[in-house]
Amino acid sequence: DARVTQTPRHKVTEMGQEVTMRCQPILGHNTVFWYRQTMMQGLELLAYFRNRAPLDDSGMPKDRFSAEMPDATLATLKIQPSEPRDSAVYFCASGSPVVAAYEQYFGPGTRLTVT
Amino acid sequence: QKEVEQNSGPLSVPEGAIASLNCTYSDRGSQSFFWYRQYSGKSPELIMFIYSNGDKEDGRFTAQLNKASQYVSLLIRDSQPSDSATYLCAVNTGFQKLVFGTGTRLLVSP
């Protein structure tokens, strides 16, 4: 069945290292969202793309985070250099503006721990 | 004022009762409204959406929307222990962006 996939599911890294997270949206969905979830802040929108073009990345720390969609089946989120405060669960979601209510479907998430 | 507000709970109900989860939002231009369920350690799962005033029913779930009062609710009838989770309210404020509340934790006791 159609679902969003994310890799890796878990990542433990040391401060200063580069982290790359990948997302494959549901086939046919042309909008991709990156969220970060922490206990303190809840779900925060980091960036989103429509038809591979970035529409909004205002929620993302620009100095260390970058998001791209090299093709319609792959979205990436990179953190360089990583810091302990980046520890969180990162979710990718996809959707389609064709559907009236614009619902989004979430992937399983990448749990990131930066030590 | 937060854009989407929910009581964090926990909301405790006995098995078989009706659970009522509430959400208020600040942007009057909001067009569509969503309820997601999130089990501990899992990703948010879409339960229902609503974009017209009134009620929308799907099985044991009923979403209610009152745009004049800027209020959305989710009723869960015949609550089951498996309904114990955090319920996230989300509001589409335009351009497909969803703003999420911090969630209400629901506990259904056997």
Side-chain angles (χ1 to χ4, degrees), chain B residues 18-85:
Chain B
I18 296 175
S20 178
L21 303 158
N22 304 315
C23 171
T24 59
Y25 60 94
S26 59
D27 185 349
R28 284 195 172 273
S30 301
Q31 300 172 359
S32 50
F33 308 85
F34 304 81
W35 285 100
Y36 284 82
R37 177 177 62 199
Q38 187 174 25
Y39 292 112
S40 180
K42 302 294 185 181
S43 58
E45 173 192 9
L46 180 66
I47 299 175
M48 297 189 67
F49 64 84
I50 186 169
Y51 47 85
S52 299
N53 273 328
D55 295 0
K56 179 181 179 183
E57 187 175 318
D58 184 359
R60 295 187 296 113
F61 299 97
T62 299
Q64 299 175 318
L65 174 61
N66 184 325
K67 289 186 178 180
S69 300
Q70 297 175 244
Y71 179 90
V72 192
S73 64
L74 179 69
L75 301 179
I76 306 174
R77 290 183 298 281
D78 189 23
S79 295
Q80 302 297 310
S82 59
D83 295 325
S84 298

Coordinates of all heavy atoms in Angstrom, one line a residue, chain B residues 18-85:
Chain B
I18 N -17.9 8.2 26.0 CA -17.5 9.1 24.9 C -16.4 10.0 25.3 O -16.4 10.6 26.4 CB -18.8 10.0 24.5 CG1 -19.9 9.1 24.0 CG2 -18.4 11.1 23.5 CD1 -21.2 9.9 23.7
A19 N -15.4 10.1 24.5 CA -14.2 11.0 24.7 C -14.4 12.2 23.8 O -14.7 12.1 22.6 CB -12.9 10.3 24.4
S20 N -14.3 13.4 24.4 CA -14.5 14.6 23.7 C -13.2 15.4 23.8 O -12.7 15.8 24.8 CB -15.6 15.5 24.4 OG -15.8 16.7 23.7
L21 N -12.6 15.7 22.6 CA -11.3 16.4 22.5 C -11.6 17.7 21.8 O -12.3 17.8 20.7 CB -10.4 15.5 21.7 CG -10.1 14.1 22.2 CD1 -9.6 13.2 21.2 CD2 -9.1 14.2 23.4
N22 N -11.0 18.8 22.3 CA -11.3 20.1 21.8 C -10.1 20.8 21.3 O -9.0 20.6 21.7 CB -12.0 20.9 22.9 CG -13.2 20.2 23.5 OD1 -14.0 19.7 22.7 ND2 -13.3 20.2 24.8
C23 N -10.3 21.8 20.4 CA -9.3 22.5 19.8 C -9.8 23.9 19.4 O -10.9 24.0 18.8 CB -8.8 21.7 18.5 SG -7.6 22.6 17.5
T24 N -9.0 24.9 19.6 CA -9.4 26.3 19.2 C -8.3 26.8 18.3 O -7.1 26.4 18.5 CB -9.7 27.3 20.3 OG1 -8.5 27.3 21.1 CG2 -10.8 26.8 21.1
Y25 N -8.6 27.7 17.3 CA -7.6 28.2 16.4 C -7.8 29.7 16.3 O -8.9 30.2 16.5 CB -7.7 27.5 15.1 CG -9.0 27.7 14.4 CD1 -9.2 28.7 13.4 CD2 -10.1 26.8 14.6 CE1 -10.4 28.8 12.8 CE2 -11.3 26.9 14.0 CZ -11.5 27.9 13.1 OH -12.7 28.1 12.4
S26 N -6.8 30.4 15.9 CA -6.8 31.9 15.9 C -7.0 32.5 14.5 O -7.5 33.6 14.5 CB -5.5 32.4 16.5 OG -4.4 32.0 15.8
D27 N -6.7 31.8 13.5 CA -6.8 32.4 12.1 C -8.1 32.1 11.5 O -8.5 31.0 11.2 CB -5.7 31.8 11.2 CG -5.6 32.4 9.9 OD1 -6.5 33.2 9.5 OD2 -4.7 32.1 9.1
R28 N -8.9 33.2 11.4 CA -10.3 33.1 10.9 C -10.3 32.7 9.4 O -11.4 32.2 8.9 CB -11.0 34.4 11.0 CG -11.5 34.7 12.4 CD -12.5 35.8 12.4 NE -13.1 36.0 13.8 CZ -14.1 35.3 14.2 NH1 -14.7 34.4 13.4 NH2 -14.6 35.4 15.4
G29 N -9.2 32.8 8.7 CA -9.2 32.4 7.3 C -8.9 31.0 7.1 O -8.8 30.5 6.0
S30 N -8.7 30.2 8.2 CA -8.4 28.8 8.1 C -9.5 28.1 7.4 O -10.7 28.3 7.5 CB -8.2 28.2 9.5 OG -7.2 28.8 10.2
Q31 N -9.1 27.1 6.5 CA -10.0 26.5 5.6 C -10.4 25.1 5.9 O -11.5 24.6 5.6 CB -9.4 26.6 4.2 CG -9.2 28.1 3.7 CD -8.4 28.1 2.4 OE1 -8.1 27.1 1.8 NE2 -8.2 29.3 2.0
S32 N -9.4 24.3 6.4 CA -9.7 22.9 6.6 C -9.0 22.5 7.9 O -8.0 23.1 8.3 CB -9.3 22.0 5.5 OG -8.0 22.3 5.0
F33 N -9.5 21.5 8.5 CA -9.1 21.1 9.9 C -9.0 19.6 10.0 O -9.8 18.9 9.4 CB -10.2 21.6 10.9 CG -10.5 23.1 10.6 CD1 -11.4 23.5 9.7 CD2 -9.9 24.0 11.4 CE1 -11.7 24.8 9.5 CE2 -10.1 25.4 11.2 CZ -11.0 25.8 10.2
F34 N -8.0 19.2 10.7 CA -7.6 17.8 10.7 C -7.4 17.3 12.1 O -7.0 18.0 13.0 CB -6.3 17.6 10.0 CG -6.3 18.1 8.6 CD1 -6.1 19.5 8.3 CD2 -6.5 17.3 7.5 CE1 -6.2 20.0 7.0 CE2 -6.6 17.7 6.2 CZ -6.4 19.1 6.0
W35 N -7.7 16.0 12.3 CA -7.4 15.3 13.5 C -6.5 14.1 13.2 O -6.8 13.3 12.3 CB -8.6 14.8 14.2 CG -9.4 15.8 14.9 CD1 -10.5 16.5 14.5 CD2 -9.1 16.4 16.2 NE1 -10.9 17.4 15.4 CE2 -10.1 17.4 16.5 CE3 -8.1 16.2 17.2 CZ2 -10.1 18.2 17.6 CZ3 -8.1 16.9 18.3 CH2 -9.1 17.9 18.5
Y36 N -5.3 14.1 13.9 CA -4.4 13.1 13.8 C -4.2 12.3 15.1 O -4.3 13.0 16.2 CB -3.0 13.6 13.4 CG -2.8 14.0 12.0 CD1 -3.2 15.3 11.5 CD2 -2.2 13.2 11.0 CE1 -3.1 15.7 10.2 CE2 -2.0 13.6 9.7 CZ -2.5 14.8 9.3 OH -2.3 15.2 8.0
R37 N -4.0 11.1 15.1 CA -3.8 10.2 16.2 C -2.3 9.8 16.2 O -1.8 9.4 15.2 CB -4.7 9.0 16.2 CG -4.4 8.0 17.4 CD -5.4 6.9 17.3 NE -5.3 6.1 16.1 CZ -6.2 5.3 15.6 NH1 -7.4 5.2 16.2 NH2 -6.0 4.6 14.5
Q38 N -1.6 9.9 17.4 CA -0.2 9.5 17.4 C 0.0 8.7 18.7 O -0.2 9.1 19.8 CB 0.7 10.8 17.5 CG 2.2 10.4 17.4 CD 3.1 11.6 17.3 OE1 2.7 12.7 17.8 NE2 4.3 11.5 16.8
Y39 N 0.3 7.4 18.4 CA 0.7 6.5 19.5 C 2.1 6.8 19.8 O 2.9 7.3 19.0 CB 0.6 5.0 19.0 CG -0.9 4.6 18.8 CD1 -1.3 4.3 17.5 CD2 -1.7 4.5 19.9 CE1 -2.6 3.9 17.3 CE2 -3.1 4.1 19.7 CZ -3.5 3.8 18.4 OH -4.8 3.4 18.2
S40 N 2.5 6.5 21.1 CA 3.8 6.7 21.6 C 4.9 6.1 20.7 O 4.8 4.9 20.4 CB 3.9 6.2 23.0 OG 5.2 6.5 23.5
G41 N 5.8 6.9 20.2 CA 6.9 6.3 19.4 C 6.6 6.1 18.0 O 7.4 5.6 17.2
K42 N 5.4 6.5 17.6 CA 4.9 6.4 16.2 C 4.7 7.7 15.5 O 4.8 8.8 16.2 CB 3.6 5.5 16.2 CG 3.7 4.2 16.8 CD 4.7 3.3 16.0 CE 4.7 1.9 16.6 NZ 5.7 1.0 15.8
S43 N 4.4 7.7 14.3 CA 4.1 8.9 13.5 C 2.6 9.3 13.6 O 1.8 8.4 13.9 CB 4.6 8.7 12.1 OG 3.9 7.7 11.5
P44 N 2.3 10.5 13.4 CA 0.9 10.9 13.3 C 0.2 10.2 12.2 O 0.7 10.1 11.1 CB 1.0 12.5 13.1 CG 2.3 12.9 13.6 CD 3.2 11.7 13.2
E45 N -1.1 9.8 12.5 CA -1.9 9.1 11.6 C -3.2 9.9 11.4 O -3.9 10.2 12.4 CB -2.2 7.7 12.1 CG -3.2 6.9 11.4 CD -3.6 5.7 12.2 OE1 -3.3 5.6 13.4 OE2 -4.4 4.8 11.6
L46 N -3.5 10.2 10.2 CA -4.7 11.0 9.9 C -6.0 10.2 10.2 O -6.2 9.1 9.8 CB -4.8 11.4 8.4 CG -6.0 12.2 8.0 CD1 -6.0 13.6 8.7 CD2 -6.0 12.4 6.5
I47 N -6.9 10.8 11.0 CA -8.1 10.2 11.4 C -9.3 10.8 10.5 O -10.0 10.0 9.9 CB -8.5 10.4 12.9 CG1 -7.4 9.8 13.8 CG2 -9.9 9.8 13.2 CD1 -7.7 10.1 15.3
M48 N -9.3 12.1 10.6 CA -10.5 12.7 9.9 C -10.1 14.2 9.5 O -9.2 14.7 10.1 CB -11.7 12.9 10.8 CG -12.3 11.6 11.3 SD -13.9 12.0 12.1 CE -14.9 12.6 10.8
F49 N -10.8 14.7 8.5 CA -10.7 16.1 8.2 C -12.1 16.7 8.1 O -13.0 15.9 7.7 CB -9.8 16.4 7.0 CG -10.3 15.9 5.7 CD1 -11.3 16.6 5.0 CD2 -9.9 14.6 5.3 CE1 -11.7 16.1 3.8 CE2 -10.4 14.1 4.1 CZ -11.3 14.9 3.3
I50 N -12.2 18.0 8.2 CA -13.5 18.6 8.1 C -13.3 20.0 7.6 O -12.3 20.7 7.9 CB -14.3 18.6 9.4 CG1 -15.7 19.2 9.2 CG2 -13.5 19.4 10.5 CD1 -16.6 18.9 10.5
Y51 N -14.1 20.5 6.7 CA -14.0 21.9 6.2 C -15.3 22.6 6.1 O -15.3 23.8 5.7 CB -13.2 22.0 4.9 CG -13.7 21.0 3.8 CD1 -14.7 21.4 3.0 CD2 -13.0 19.8 3.6 CE1 -15.1 20.5 1.9 CE2 -13.4 18.9 2.6 CZ -14.5 19.3 1.8 OH -14.9 18.4 0.8
S52 N -16.4 22.0 6.5 CA -17.7 22.7 6.5 C -18.2 22.7 7.9 O -18.0 21.8 8.7 CB -18.7 22.0 5.6 OG -18.2 22.0 4.3
N53 N -18.9 23.8 8.3 CA -19.5 23.9 9.6 C -20.4 22.7 9.8 O -21.1 22.2 8.9 CB -20.3 25.2 9.7 CG -19.4 26.3 10.2 OD1 -18.5 26.1 11.0 ND2 -19.8 27.5 9.8
G54 N -20.4 22.2 11.0 CA -21.3 21.1 11.4 C -20.6 19.9 11.8 O -19.4 20.0 12.3
D55 N -21.2 18.7 11.6 CA -20.6 17.5 12.1 C -20.3 16.6 10.9 O -20.9 16.7 9.8 CB -21.7 16.7 12.9 CG -22.0 17.4 14.2 OD1 -21.4 18.5 14.5 OD2 -22.8 16.8 15.0
K56 N -19.2 15.8 11.1 CA -18.9 14.8 10.1 C -18.6 13.5 10.8 O -17.7 13.5 11.7 CB -17.6 15.3 9.3 CG -17.2 14.3 8.2 CD -15.9 14.8 7.5 CE -15.4 13.8 6.5 NZ -14.2 14.3 5.8
E57 N -19.2 12.5 10.4 CA -19.1 11.2 11.1 C -18.3 10.2 10.3 O -18.5 10.1 9.1 CB -20.5 10.7 11.5 CG -20.5 9.5 12.4 CD -21.9 9.1 12.8 OE1 -22.7 10.0 13.2 OE2 -22.2 7.9 12.8
D58 N -17.5 9.4 11.0 CA -16.8 8.3 10.3 C -16.6 7.2 11.4 O -15.7 7.3 12.2 CB -15.4 8.7 9.8 CG -14.7 7.7 9.0 OD1 -15.3 6.5 8.9 OD2 -13.6 7.9 8.5
G59 N -17.5 6.2 11.3 CA -17.5 5.1 12.3 C -17.7 5.7 13.7 O -18.7 6.3 14.0
R60 N -16.8 5.4 14.6 CA -16.9 5.8 16.0 C -16.5 7.3 16.2 O -16.6 7.8 17.3 CB -16.1 4.9 16.9 CG -16.6 3.5 17.0 CD -15.9 2.7 18.1 NE -14.4 2.6 17.8 CZ -13.5 3.1 18.6 NH1 -13.8 3.9 19.6 NH2 -12.2 3.0 18.3
F61 N -16.0 7.9 15.2 CA -15.4 9.3 15.3 C -16.4 10.3 14.7 O -17.0 10.0 13.6 CB -14.1 9.4 14.5 CG -13.0 8.5 15.1 CD1 -12.8 7.2 14.5 CD2 -12.3 8.8 16.2 CE1 -11.8 6.4 15.0 CE2 -11.3 8.0 16.7 CZ -11.0 6.8 16.1
T62 N -16.5 11.4 15.3 CA -17.3 12.5 14.8 C -16.5 13.8 15.0 O -16.1 14.1 16.1 CB -18.7 12.7 15.5 OG1 -19.5 11.5 15.3 CG2 -19.4 13.9 15.0
A63 N -16.2 14.5 13.9 CA -15.6 15.8 14.0 C -16.7 16.9 13.9 O -17.6 16.7 13.2 CB -14.6 16.0 12.8
Q64 N -16.5 17.9 14.7 CA -17.4 19.0 14.7 C -16.7 20.3 14.5 O -15.6 20.5 15.1 CB -18.1 19.1 16.1 CG -18.9 17.8 16.4 CD -19.5 17.9 17.8 OE1 -18.9 18.3 18.8 NE2 -20.8 17.4 17.9
L65 N -17.2 21.2 13.7 CA -16.6 22.4 13.3 C -17.5 23.6 13.5 O -18.7 23.5 13.0 CB -16.1 22.4 11.9 CG -15.5 23.7 11.3 CD1 -14.3 24.2 12.1 CD2 -15.1 23.5 9.8
N66 N -17.1 24.6 14.2 CA -17.8 25.8 14.4 C -16.9 27.0 14.0 O -16.1 27.4 14.8 CB -18.3 26.0 15.8 CG -19.2 27.2 16.0 OD1 -19.0 28.2 15.4 ND2 -20.2 27.1 16.8
K67 N -17.0 27.5 12.8 CA -16.0 28.5 12.3 C -16.3 29.8 13.0 O -15.4 30.6 13.3 CB -16.1 28.7 10.8 CG -15.5 27.5 10.0 CD -15.5 27.8 8.6 CE -14.9 26.7 7.8 NZ -14.9 26.9 6.3
A68 N -17.5 30.1 13.4 CA -17.8 31.4 14.1 C -17.1 31.4 15.4 O -16.6 32.5 15.8 CB -19.3 31.6 14.2
S69 N -17.1 30.3 16.1 CA -16.4 30.2 17.4 C -15.0 29.8 17.3 O -14.3 29.7 18.3 CB -17.2 29.3 18.3 OG -18.5 29.7 18.5
Q70 N -14.5 29.5 16.1 CA -13.1 29.0 15.8 C -12.8 27.8 16.7 O -11.8 27.8 17.4 CB -12.2 30.2 16.0 CG -12.4 31.3 15.0 CD -11.5 32.6 15.3 OE1 -12.1 33.6 15.6 NE2 -10.3 32.4 15.2
Y71 N -13.6 26.8 16.6 CA -13.6 25.7 17.5 C -13.8 24.4 16.7 O -14.7 24.3 15.8 CB -14.8 25.9 18.5 CG -15.0 24.9 19.5 CD1 -14.3 24.9 20.7 CD2 -15.8 23.8 19.3 CE1 -14.5 23.9 21.7 CE2 -16.1 22.8 20.2 CZ -15.4 22.9 21.4 OH -15.6 22.0 22.4
V72 N -12.9 23.4 17.0 CA -13.1 22.1 16.3 C -13.0 21.1 17.4 O -12.3 21.2 18.4 CB -11.9 21.8 15.4 CG1 -12.1 20.6 14.5 CG2 -11.5 23.0 14.5
S73 N -13.8 20.0 17.3 CA -13.8 19.0 18.3 C -13.8 17.6 17.6 O -14.2 17.5 16.5 CB -14.9 19.1 19.3 OG -16.2 19.0 18.6
L74 N -13.4 16.6 18.4 CA -13.4 15.3 18.0 C -14.1 14.4 19.1 O -13.7 14.5 20.2 CB -12.0 14.7 17.7 CG -11.9 13.3 17.3 CD1 -12.5 13.1 15.8 CD2 -10.5 12.7 17.3
L75 N -15.2 13.7 18.7 CA -15.8 12.9 19.6 C -15.5 11.4 19.3 O -15.6 11.1 18.1 CB -17.3 13.1 19.6 CG -17.9 14.5 19.9 CD1 -19.4 14.5 19.8 CD2 -17.4 14.9 21.3
I76 N -15.1 10.6 20.3 CA -14.9 9.2 20.1 C -15.9 8.5 20.9 O -15.9 8.5 22.1 CB -13.5 8.8 20.5 CG1 -12.4 9.7 19.8 CG2 -13.2 7.3 20.1 CD1 -11.0 9.5 20.3
R77 N -16.8 7.8 20.2 CA -17.9 7.0 20.9 C -17.4 5.6 21.2 O -16.5 5.1 20.5 CB -19.1 6.9 20.0 CG -19.9 8.2 19.8 CD -21.1 8.0 18.9 NE -20.8 7.5 17.6 CZ -20.3 8.3 16.7 NH1 -20.2 9.6 16.9 NH2 -20.0 7.8 15.5
D78 N -17.9 5.0 22.2 CA -17.6 3.7 22.6 C -16.0 3.6 22.7 O -15.4 2.7 22.1 CB -18.1 2.7 21.6 CG -17.9 1.2 22.1 OD1 -17.8 1.0 23.3 OD2 -17.9 0.3 21.2
S79 N -15.4 4.4 23.5 CA -13.9 4.5 23.6 C -13.4 3.1 24.0 O -13.9 2.4 24.9 CB -13.5 5.5 24.6 OG -13.9 6.8 24.2
Q80 N -12.3 2.8 23.4 CA -11.6 1.5 23.6 C -10.2 1.8 24.2 O -9.6 2.8 23.8 CB -11.5 0.7 22.4 CG -12.8 0.3 21.7 CD -13.7 -0.5 22.6 OE1 -13.2 -1.5 23.1 NE2 -14.9 -0.1 22.9
P81 N -9.6 0.9 25.0 CA -8.2 1.1 25.4 C -7.3 1.4 24.3 O -6.3 2.1 24.4 CB -7.9 -0.2 26.2 CG -9.2 -0.7 26.7 CD -10.2 -0.3 25.6
S82 N -7.5 0.8 23.1 CA -6.7 1.0 21.9 C -6.8 2.4 21.4 O -5.9 2.8 20.5 CB -7.0 0.0 20.8 OG -8.4 0.2 20.4
D83 N -7.7 3.2 21.9 CA -7.8 4.6 21.5 C -6.9 5.5 22.3 O -6.7 6.7 22.0 CB -9.3 5.1 21.7 CG -10.3 4.5 20.7 OD1 -9.9 4.1 19.6 OD2 -11.4 4.3 21.2
S84 N -6.3 4.9 23.3 CA -5.3 5.7 24.1 C -4.1 6.1 23.3 O -3.4 5.3 22.7 CB -4.8 4.8 25.3 OG -5.9 4.5 26.2
A85 N -4.0 7.4 23.2 CA -3.0 8.0 22.3 C -3.0 9.5 22.5 O -3.8 10.0 23.2 CB -3.2 7.7 20.8

